[in-house]
Structures are given as C-alpha cells and as structure tokens.
Amino acid sequence: MKNRRVEEDNMGSEESGGVSKRQRLDEQFSASGIENPLVPYNVDDEEEDFERGKTANGGGKVEENRGQVVAAENGEEEEEEEDLYGEDNSLEKRKSQFEPREDCPYLDTVNRQVLDFDFEKFCSVSLSNLNVYACLVCGKYYQGRGKKSHAYTHSLEAGHHVYVNLRTEKVYCLPDGYEIIDPSLDDIRHVLNPRFTRDQVKQLDKNRQWSRALDGSDYLPGMVGLNNIKETDFVNVTIQSLMRVTPLRNFFLIPENYQHCKSPLVQRYGELTSKIWHARNFKGQVSPHEFLQAVMKASKKRFRIGQQSDPLEFMAWLLNTLHANLRTSKKNNSIIYECFQGELEVVKEIPNKAITEKKENGDIFTETSRMPFLMLGLDLPPPPLFKDVMEKNIIPQVPLFNILKKFDGETVTEVVRPRVARMKYRVIRLPQYLILHMQRFKKNNFFIEKNPTLVNFPVKNLELKDFIPLPMPKEIERLRSKYDLIANIVHDGKPNEGFYRVFVQRKSEELWYEMQDLHVSETLPQMVALSEAYLQIYEQQQ
C-alpha cells in the first residue's frame, strides 16, 4: 500500500512540476479556510455541535427547544444540493465528483414493505423538518446527507445506502453522495407524492379496476380504510363522506387549484385525498396522521387525537375553515360554497313584552331575512317514555318527509336562544350537495341523551318539491329538486361510549360499502336505511 501511495504522489509530481495532487488540494482548502474533505471527520464533533443547538444543514438555523427543533424565521428548506463535505457549492470539482449514476449496486436492498409516507416528515433523531430523507432500506427518516448529518451517520452504522429526499423526491446513495437515476424507483415517488392528470381525474368515477397491495390484498382506489389513530373515528367517517363529493374531490386532486393557499390544513387535506384515490399504493389503507396534526393545530386542539368528538361539529368546522382559507379576496366564494351552500328564508316572530303587559293579546314583531346554509338540521320526534307489554323499549320510526316539513315555510319551530321566538324556515335555493343531520343528541344538566328514532329515507330519487315549496326557476333553467344519497354516517351504542361508521356509494358500479376505520365491506342498499342515520349527504341529479 505504501509503494502504491508513493507512485501516485510521484505521478502527481510529474504532472505539476514536483507538486503532488494531495499537496495542491491541501493548499487549496487551507487557503480558502475550508476543511479538507479527505481528512476523516470525527463523529464526536458532530454531537458536540448538535448539543450546542447548531444546525447540520447550513439552511435555516435550528434550535433545540424542550426536545423539539424549531425552524428559524427564514426556515427555507435546503435544496438537495447541500454542502456534502463542507465545500463551496460553486466548485466545479464538486459537481463532477457527484454526477448522477444509473448503476447503483445497492438498489436491491430497497425494501418497499417498510416504506410508509403517511406520517410527519421529521428526522427521527433531531425532530427537524428541514432536509428530511427517508432510508429506503429500513423506512426511517433522517436529516440531511452531509458528512455530519444523521442520514450519513445512519448509512455508515447500519450499512443502508439508498435515501430519498421527501421534498424533492430525488434518490441518493450514501455515503458516496451521488444521485441515483433509475426508473425502477418511480413507484416509490408515486406513493410519496401521488399525481393525477386532469383526464385521470375525470375518469375516476368510471374506474372499476381493483388494485393490489404489496401484501397481495386487493383494494378499490377511493374505497380504502383509514387508520383510527386513537378515538378518531369521527374524523374518518367525515373524510370518507366528503370523498364522495365529486367536484370537491376533483378540486383537491389537482394541486394547482389551491397552490396560492399556504394553509397547512388545505395542503394536508389535498395530500390525503390523493392518497385515498391513488391506484398504486403499497398498502390497502391510509393513515390520516399528517391531516390530524394539521387539524389539531388549526382548531387549537378543539379536535384532537385521543378524544372522541362529534362528526357533525367536525364537518361544520372543517367546511367553514377550508372555505375561509380557499376563498378569494374579491368575492366570498370557494369550492366549498359551490358544492354545499344553499339559502333559506327565515321569518322570526318575537313577542313584544312591553306591549304584552298592557294588552291581553299582545303584539308580535316579525322579522324576515335570508340566511345561507351549508347543512340543514332536522328535529326528531321524542321517543315514547313507556315500554310495551314485552317490557322492551319501542323504537319509533318517522319518514324523512315528515321532519323535512320544518322547511316548508309554514311549520313553526320554537327557539329559546338567544331569546324566545317562533321561527319559520323556507328553502329558496337548493345546493348541489345537500347535507342533512338528525339531531339525535340532547344535553341536559346531568348527561347527554340519545334519541333512537329510526328515520325512513329513500336511497335514490328523494324528490323535495313534493314536500316543501321551492321557488320557480328562471325560464332557461329547470328545477333540480331530485337527490340521490351518496353518504350516510350512523352512530351505534350509548351517547358517550358509542362509535361511528359510514355507508358510502361507489359511483362506477352504484354499489354500497360499509366503512368503519380499516374495515371496508360491500353491503346492500336496504341495509343503509336500517341504521340510526345521523349525518347524510345527498347529490343533486343533473
């Protein structure tokens, strides 16, 4: 080995007048004040730097704050061309040293079975979200690929050599540092960031083809189960329901539609939509982990993991928050309002107390107004107080048409808040997608009561004009008052201990599926109407 090194130095001496290559490189780097990349680095130095809170990236400063790494104000994520060995990025030598290669010898070590891109993109060591790479051998996330980075250290310690940048989707071989160009890695990029063309989006509701996961199981794109992280079934049923709303789904499958919006909630919802409808997933289910983190932050922990909530409250909050983030400054409109917003005429009758004291009949103050709505609440008749002769509770049933009369403009609804009044509601504009919710839960001073009344409703051809008066359309338009059910959320069990599941329709074959977290199974349309319906979405027939 010694003789070989002497020969190399001699060759360098002949080329440059007695000065060896090694000497010239040492002089070059010492003159520029940059550490010589040929000198082996000490792992202990990196640990000391990190303890002091220094960054391993050269991007935005990263500080340790109570066990978490917080990005600095400039917080821009470093490009993949980060400084690998402390060299200046502009050096021509560095560019030639790490040219992309197609013949990486470690591609056979990539293990797709362990890859899961549904979780937050944080380094498993530093908890930083800057410059995060996924090890394609073990699936763990590490920061950076420079010589003092966690990914570099992992490649030496574990012998894992193939990494993908979770933002740029470029694949690298560590510790060598070169980019790997190989089409066999395209399927990983598609799972990391599913993409749809506009033509593919238009054909989604016609697709009848099943997909196959890596474990050999079959799944239907769009009909995949969602992980219940902990008491998050109220989120899962809401997401599965909204995935059936075609214009909303199509909008979020094309990121260009909302690229102007910087809201993390909007971005995470779009990513979750793409994963649910992607036909090339490695597994037949999706974890809404990143979306739930965005929900917790945006709702200020009103909705959080580990605490059961009401899907009615969650859906109302989610639709209003998405609208607020997506609406343009000039006009108060968004894809949410285009799908779900209708309009009511509200007549409020308020008794005038001052006059009532003087006159026996009293005068009534009437106020008429218009009010937009995203969903309509239906009152259920109270259940019977007594048991039947068999000592069993009688579960009453009520047709949907009876409780829809609340919106016929004549039926009076008594309200006590914010003050006592008599209300009359009339629908004057129908939305493209009608959301109905049955008011099953009632809070009193001691506990929550649940109304078990079953609602009889049609799965197809709900004709509203037969039961509530509707405004006549303009001459060039026709009245669209017929609706088909596309999602039905139901509640099972006691008010505080029960759980939620949802029935959804698959449009391509008009089949119905029951979905409860990871459980997905085909069911009969008749079974949909035999459940305790709580929240429904109807689609307007065109």
Side-chain angles (χ1 to χ4, degrees), residues 120-394:
E120 297 104 321
K121 310 300 190 290
F122 285 99
C123 172
S124 58
V125 179
S126 69
L127 301 182
S128 170
N129 62 349
L130 299 177
N131 250 358
V132 182
Y133 289 77
C135 174
L136 298 185
V137 183
C138 66
K140 293 181 180 178
Y141 294 172
Y142 294 99
Q143 185 182 14
R145 57 187 175 90
K147 205 170 184 188
K148 292 189 178 183
S149 68
H150 300 295
Y152 188 94
T153 305
H154 177 69
S155 71
L156 295 175
E157 291 178 349
H160 298 171
H161 301 290
V162 190
Y163 296 79
V164 61
N165 185 304
L166 295 177
R167 188 176 64 86
T168 64
E169 303 174 23
K170 293 188 176 183
V171 182
Y172 295 91
C173 177
L174 295 182
D176 297 349
Y178 59 84
E179 182 184 353
I180 303 171
I181 306 295
D182 194 294
S184 67
L185 300 169
D186 286 348
D187 62 333
I188 296 176
R189 293 188 180 95
H190 276 283
V191 173
L192 172 59
N193 183 16
R195 301 172 184 82
F196 294 84
T197 64
R198 295 187 184 274
D199 289 337
Q200 288 173 332
V201 169
K202 290 177 183 176
Q203 299 300 318
L204 278 180
D205 286 334
K206 300 176 182 177
N207 177 42
R208 300 186 178 189
Q209 190 172 357
W210 290 66
S211 296
R212 175 154 292 188
L214 290 179
D215 61 1
S217 61
D218 294 327
Y219 68 91
L220 280 166
M223 293 289 171
V224 296
L226 293 174
N227 276 334
N228 187 335
I229 310 298
K230 188 181 180 184
E231 303 286 346
T232 55
D233 52 336
F234 72 97
V235 174
N236 291 349
V237 293
T238 303
I239 293 300
Q240 296 286 21
S241 301
L242 293 177
M243 288 297 144
R244 314 308 135 197
V245 180
T246 304
L248 185 67
R249 176 202 67 191
N250 293 355
F251 176 87
F252 277 101
L253 286 179
I254 307 294
E256 289 78 15
N257 291 333
Y258 50 93
Q259 61 184 0
H260 67 281
C261 181
K262 303 301 180 186
S263 163
L265 182 70
V266 171
Q267 300 297 329
R268 298 294 91 80
Y269 185 85
E271 291 171 7
L272 182 59
T273 305
S274 297
K275 289 176 180 177
I276 289 175
W277 286 93
H278 190 221
R280 296 168 64 180
N281 282 331
F282 289 160
K283 53 191 187 335
Q285 70 269 354
V286 173
S287 177
H289 206 278
E290 283 190 289
F291 175 72
L292 283 166
Q293 295 293 335
V295 165
M296 287 193 350
K297 186 173 181 181
S299 68
K300 298 178 181 176
K301 295 192 176 179
R302 177 183 170 190
F303 304 104
R304 53 183 166 179
I305 297 171
Q307 182 177 312
Q308 182 69 275
S309 294
D310 191 330
L312 168 63
E313 294 179 10
F314 177 67
M315 183 178 286
W317 173 86
L318 179 62
L319 293 179
N320 281 296
T321 307
L322 290 175
H323 164 72
N325 291 328
L326 288 169
R327 66 183 175 186
T328 56
S329 56
K330 294 182 179 178
K331 50 185 180 178
N332 187 28
N333 196 21
S334 70
I335 185 66
I336 304 296
Y337 275 16
E338 290 174 11
C339 291
F340 301 109
Q341 191 183 52
E343 197 170 7
L344 288 175
E345 182 184 77
V346 182
V347 178
K348 183 189 292 185
E349 297 177 352
I350 306 171
N352 191 325
K353 290 184 179 179
I355 300 177
T356 306
E357 291 174 359
K358 297 179 181 178
K359 299 181 180 180
E360 293 183 2
N361 297 330
D363 287 352
I364 294 177
F365 175 73
T366 303
E367 183 182 272
T368 303
S369 61
R370 290 191 168 199
M371 183 175 69
F373 69 87
L374 291 180
M375 53 180 71
L376 296 177
L378 304 176
D379 302 317
L380 297 176
L385 297 174
F386 305 103
K387 298 181 178 180
D388 61 6
V389 291
M390 301 297 291
E391 289 298 314
K392 292 183 179 179
N393 285 322
I394 302 170

Side-chain angles (χ1 to χ4, degrees), residues 1-10:
M1 183 61 117
K2 186 175 180 181
N3 295 336
R4 191 172 170 185
R5 193 174 295 165
V6 170
E7 288 173 9
E8 289 176 358
D9 284 348
N10 289 339

